[in-house]
């Protein structure tokens, strides 16, 4: 079987997937190894796209010199017309001769065709940018000169799409690269730090936002990137969310919004120009923070609110998890606070109260010092209770498998028993239902090569996922019922993200970028948008 070799070249700007790393390319029949760590994959019946035999995920290949020749070849098989990659000709007679040879070799029709070139491509591209349909890659706002003939804009994947030459423009082709690659290639005087800074400012249309309002911060935590402090809490009748304690005059919360969605957040100390662990889109928020003069470090000496609560006739402090900025394997991931009477102060030493609990509550009697570390055999790491007279349980608290020791009350109220691993797992860890409608954690599924279908929330182990253009994983059944493969770009979408034109299915992404294709045939009124891909039919 013929195929294409995908090289794992770290300098390659084209969006190929490392199938070996993802596990999709292990044990598939017909796949051979290739020099340079790539893999030989059989071709899919669609022009310019390639996939493993049992994974529905497609990625564009780079344009070659052959793609810019005036004559090219197509295969005609089973009612489908597919470009033959790597075959381009300056002369029509040469193309026809090659088509005849391939027709005999392949056993089906191969035909030579003339490529349509557009001499007015400059006007077309200028109109496309001026229409506002695309987000212009406006380097002028960071003080760089615009390369006008590139007609550069940011595509739906956040990559810079530009026209590298007259030949590309005439052929209606574009080159997509990361913003950093574009800046490195065409603005060579920039330093690496400047490239990082400009990339963040150009990719992110909004501004870094900062709040020190406790109530607004709670909204951001609950509606933004997930973490141990992003839950609803108040299960014990507390009047305050744990994150409110951060804000006593020193600390603030930096965050990014994109179309109303919180995409990143990070605690900061504005006076000291420090930031600690970030959540969400790390590259964007860290780059913007560094651009504003911030550096990563711990908040030693910063004030926190001293909030109290009584539960079950015991006194507690409402304290959040306090991240350590540079924790490493074997070191604490969180810091301690010292009680100063009317406020807490974050300490550089192991003293006072160790803010490692994820419940948001700290027993007022559970102080520590350098010679008296909490004993995991007796202390619940979620609520801080001394449970020396009760059995404690190991609970998985992340998809990576890290565990905490919890008391029975915390375990029964805030975790579930994974049907796959038979381990107790925190309810905040993503999970899906198996065939018997029992909960299975994403931690276990990753270990056994499974996944959670984003459409049905069901857990799957013995089948490969269908990967949509936005990175979501669906089951094969969900995709056949509620998804389609775009005829224009070969990527997978939910039915709500596309429409049928001339009997073919196109994504809204493709239509926004290239416009609606011309209808070639009338579409039946009851024609379903979902069509089972040829490669999935029995």
């Amino acid at each position: 079987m013929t195929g294409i070799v995908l090289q794992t070249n770290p300098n390659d700007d084209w969006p190929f997937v490392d199938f070996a790393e993802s596990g999709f390319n292990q044990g598939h029949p017909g796949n051979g190894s290739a020099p340079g760590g790539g893999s030989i994959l059989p071709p899919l019946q669609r022009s310019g796209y390639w996939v493993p035999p049992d994974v529905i995920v497609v990625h564009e290949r780079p344009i070659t010199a052959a793609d810019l020749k005036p004559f090219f070849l197509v295969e005609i098989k089973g009612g489908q017309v597919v470009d033959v990659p790597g075959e381009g000709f300056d002369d029509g007679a040469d193309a026809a001769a090659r088509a005849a040879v391939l027709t005999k070799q392949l056993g089906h029709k191969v035909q030579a065709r003339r490529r349509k070139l557009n001499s007015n491509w400059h006007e077309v591209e200028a109109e496309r940018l001026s229409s506002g349909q695309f987000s212009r890659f406006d380097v002028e706002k960071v003080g760089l000169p615009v390369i006008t003939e590139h007609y550069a804009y940011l595509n739906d994947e956040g990559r810079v799409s530009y026209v590298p030459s007259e030949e590309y423009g005439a052929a209606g082709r574009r080159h997509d690269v990361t913003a950093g690659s574009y800046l490195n290639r065409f603005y060579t005087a920039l330093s690496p730090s400047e490239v990082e800074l400009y990339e963040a400012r150009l990719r992110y249309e909004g501004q870094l936002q900062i709040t020190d309002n406790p109530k607004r911060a709670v909204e951001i935590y609950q509606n933004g990137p997930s973490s141990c402090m992003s839950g609803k809490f108040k299960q014990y009748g507390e009047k305050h969310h744990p994150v409110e304690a951060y804000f006593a005059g020193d600390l603030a919360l930096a965050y990014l919004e994109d179309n109303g969605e919180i995409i990143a957040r990070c605690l900061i100390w504005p006076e000291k120009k420090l930031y600690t662990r970030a959540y969400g889109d790390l590259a964007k928020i860290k780059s913007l923070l560094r651009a504003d003069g911030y550096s990563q470090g711990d908040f030693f000496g910063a004030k926190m609110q001293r909030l109290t609560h009584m539960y079950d006739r015991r006194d507690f402090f409402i304290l959040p998890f306090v991240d350590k900025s540079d924790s490493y394997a074997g070191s604490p991931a969180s810091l301690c606070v010292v009680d100063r009477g009317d406020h807490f102060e974050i300490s550089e030493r192991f003293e006072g109260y160790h803010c490692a609990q994820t419940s948001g509550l700290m027993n007022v009697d559970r102080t520590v010092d350098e010679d008296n570390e909490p004993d995991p055999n007796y202390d619940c790491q979620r609520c801080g209770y001394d449970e020396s007279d009760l059995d404690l349980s190991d609970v998985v608290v992340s998809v990576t498998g890290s565990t905490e020791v919890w008391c029975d009350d915390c375990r029964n109220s805030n975790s579930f028993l994974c049907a796959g691993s038979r381990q107790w797992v925190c309810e905040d860890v993503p999970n899906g239902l198996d065939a018997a409608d029992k909960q299975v954690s994403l931690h276990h599924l990753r270990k056994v090569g499974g996944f959670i279908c984003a459409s049905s929330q069901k857990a799957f182990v013995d089948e490969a996922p269908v990967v949509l253009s936005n990175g979501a994983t669906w089951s094969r059944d969900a995709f056949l019922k509620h998804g389609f493969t775009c005829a224009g770009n070969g990527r997978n979408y939910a039915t709500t993200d596309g429409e049928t034109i001339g009997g073919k299915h196109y994504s809204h992404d493709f239509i926004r970028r290239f416009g609606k294709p011309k209808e070639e045939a009338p579409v039946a009124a009851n024609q379903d948008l979902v069509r089972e891909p040829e490669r999935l039919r029995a």
Side-chain angles (χ1 to χ4, degrees):
M1 177 179 290
T2 60
I4 185 170
V5 178
L6 304 184
Q7 299 292 338
T8 55
N9 178 1
N11 296 317
D12 187 1
D13 289 321
W14 296 93
F16 286 133
V17 149
D18 185 345
F19 291 108
E21 180 180 337
S22 66
F24 290 153
N25 195 33
Q26 298 174 5
H28 296 325
N31 284 1
S33 62
S39 57
I40 301 175
L41 308 175
L44 168 69
Q45 296 288 322
R46 183 168 283 105
S47 171
Y49 296 90
W50 308 87
V51 296
D54 58 352
V55 179
I56 312 172
V57 54
V58 293
H59 294 273
E60 296 184 51
R61 61 174 174 83
I63 296 174
T64 65
D67 295 312
L68 301 176
K69 299 288 185 179
F71 294 91
F72 66 105
L73 304 182
V74 297
E75 292 183 66
I76 303 175
K77 182 181 179 182
Q80 292 185 320
V81 179
V82 183
D83 289 6
V84 179
E87 299 283 352
F89 306 87
D90 292 311
D91 184 76
D94 292 339
R98 177 61 176 162
V101 171
L102 290 178
T103 296
K104 291 181 180 180
Q105 291 179 349
L106 300 176
H108 55 265
K109 182 70 173 177
V110 176
Q111 190 177 76
R113 293 189 176 181
R114 179 186 292 274
R115 196 181 306 278
K116 295 179 180 179
L117 299 179
N118 183 9
S119 60
N120 297 321
W121 71 270
H122 283 283
E123 290 82 353
V124 172
E125 294 295 346
E127 174 62 26
R128 176 180 291 174
L129 281 186
S130 63
S131 68
Q133 184 179 0
F134 300 95
S135 178
R136 186 189 301 269
F137 190 60
D138 189 7
V139 296
E140 282 186 315
K141 71 180 183 181
V142 294
L144 298 176
V146 175
I147 305 176
T148 307
E149 60 271 21
H150 280 178
Y151 302 99
Y153 62 77
L154 289 171
N155 64 18
D156 295 326
E157 289 78 36
R159 297 167 69 85
V160 178
S161 179
Y162 74 101
V163 181
S165 67
E166 287 284 335
E167 291 77 16
Y168 269 63
R173 304 294 186 99
R174 282 179 159 265
H175 190 11
D176 293 352
V177 297
T178 64
S181 295
Y182 183 86
L183 294 173
N184 274 319
R185 183 173 301 173
F186 298 108
Y187 301 91
T188 56
L190 296 179
S191 66
S193 60
E194 288 175 320
V195 168
E196 180 185 33
L197 166 61
Y198 292 164
E199 179 177 14
R201 288 182 172 175
L202 290 167
R203 285 187 59 218
Y204 179 59
E205 292 296 328
Q207 297 294 322
L208 186 70
Q209 301 186 64
I210 296 175
T211 183
D212 59 3
N213 183 295
K215 299 301 182 184
R216 174 57 179 154
V218 171
E219 294 176 356
I220 294 167
Y221 269 80
Q222 292 182 336
N223 298 291
S226 176
S227 75
C228 64
M229 288 292 104
S230 59
K232 299 298 182 184
F233 290 93
K234 300 189 178 181
Q235 67 245 34
Y236 302 117
E238 304 96 309
K239 295 181 180 179
H240 299 277
H241 191 286
V243 302
E244 293 182 48
Y246 289 131
F247 306 100
D250 287 337
L251 304 184
L253 184 65
Y255 64 99
L256 299 178
E257 280 187 293
D258 187 6
N259 293 323
E261 178 185 358
I262 307 296
I263 62 171
R265 61 173 168 83
C266 182
L267 277 174
I268 61 173
W269 192 350
E271 182 182 356
K272 303 288 186 180
K273 286 290 184 179
L274 292 174
Y275 71 88
T276 186
R277 182 178 175 182
Y279 295 84
D281 195 325
L282 306 185
K284 285 184 181 178
I285 194 165
K286 285 186 175 183
S287 296
L288 290 172
L289 284 168
R290 287 194 289 267
D292 284 346
Y294 282 81
S295 59
Q296 187 165 1
D298 290 308
F299 301 148
F300 299 138
K303 294 180 180 180
M304 290 178 54
Q305 290 195 67
R306 188 180 187 273
L307 305 175
T308 60
H309 178 66
M310 179 174 285
Y311 172 71
D312 193 22
R313 292 177 295 178
R314 303 189 190 187
D315 291 322
F316 290 87
F317 291 122
I318 299 177
L319 279 171
F321 193 99
V322 179
D323 283 306
K324 193 174 188 296
S325 68
D326 60 349
S327 61
Y328 54 89
S331 73
S334 56
L335 298 174
C336 294
V337 296
V338 178
D339 188 356
R340 298 303 187 195
D342 61 347
H343 69 275
F344 285 114
E345 181 180 304
I346 298 177
S347 176
E348 189 172 359
R349 301 174 57 193
F350 191 80
E351 60 180 344
Y353 297 93
H354 186 202
C355 297
Q357 75 288 343
T358 56
S359 67
L361 290 178
M362 173 67 71
N363 192 319
V364 297
D365 298 324
R366 301 312 298 160
T367 57
V368 300
D369 57 48
E370 294 179 355
D371 299 318
N372 179 31
E373 296 191 17
D375 187 343
N377 294 315
Y378 299 108
D379 294 340
C380 174
Q381 289 179 266
R382 179 174 174 85
C383 69
Y385 275 11
D386 179 354
E387 298 288 353
S388 55
D389 57 336
L390 297 176
D391 291 332
L392 298 179
S393 303
D394 288 327
V395 178
V396 176
V397 294
S398 74
V399 294
T400 61
S402 60
T403 61
E404 290 182 355
V405 179
W406 287 10
C407 66
D408 289 343
D409 185 41
C410 287
R411 185 201 69 189
N412 295 335
S413 301
N414 302 283
S415 70
F416 64 93
L417 188 63
C418 174
S421 66
R422 306 304 298 171
Q423 290 179 292
W424 289 99
V425 181
C426 175
E427 62 185 4
D428 293 333
V429 176
N431 61 87
L433 300 177
D434 62 13
D437 286 338
K438 295 182 178 180
Q439 285 179 284
V440 182
S441 72
L442 182 57
H443 162 61
H444 171 71
L445 290 172
R446 285 186 172 181
K447 290 176 63 176
V448 298
F451 67 97
I452 297 173
C453 174
S455 175
S456 66
Q457 298 304 308
K458 291 282 188 178
F460 294 86
V461 176
D462 297 325
E463 71 171 73
V466 178
V467 183
L468 271 62
S469 65
N470 62 3
T473 53
W474 282 23
S475 68
R476 164 184 165 143
D477 182 64
F479 181 74
L480 294 179
K481 291 179 179 178
H482 307 295
F484 71 101
T485 302
C486 175
N489 62 22
R491 295 171 180 161
N492 300 314
Y493 296 85
T495 55
T496 54
D497 294 332
E499 59 185 278
T500 302
I501 302 173
K504 296 181 180 180
H505 315 305
Y506 294 91
S507 67
H508 293 149
D509 285 346
F510 179 85
I511 294 172
R512 281 195 299 269
R513 182 172 178 179
F514 299 105
K516 284 192 175 184
K518 182 179 179 181
E519 294 195 20
E520 298 177 357
V523 182
N526 63 347
Q527 184 165 353
D528 191 356
L529 182 62
V530 180
R531 177 175 296 174
E532 183 174 6
E534 183 73 27
R535 59 190 177 286
L536 290 183
R537 295 176 188 164

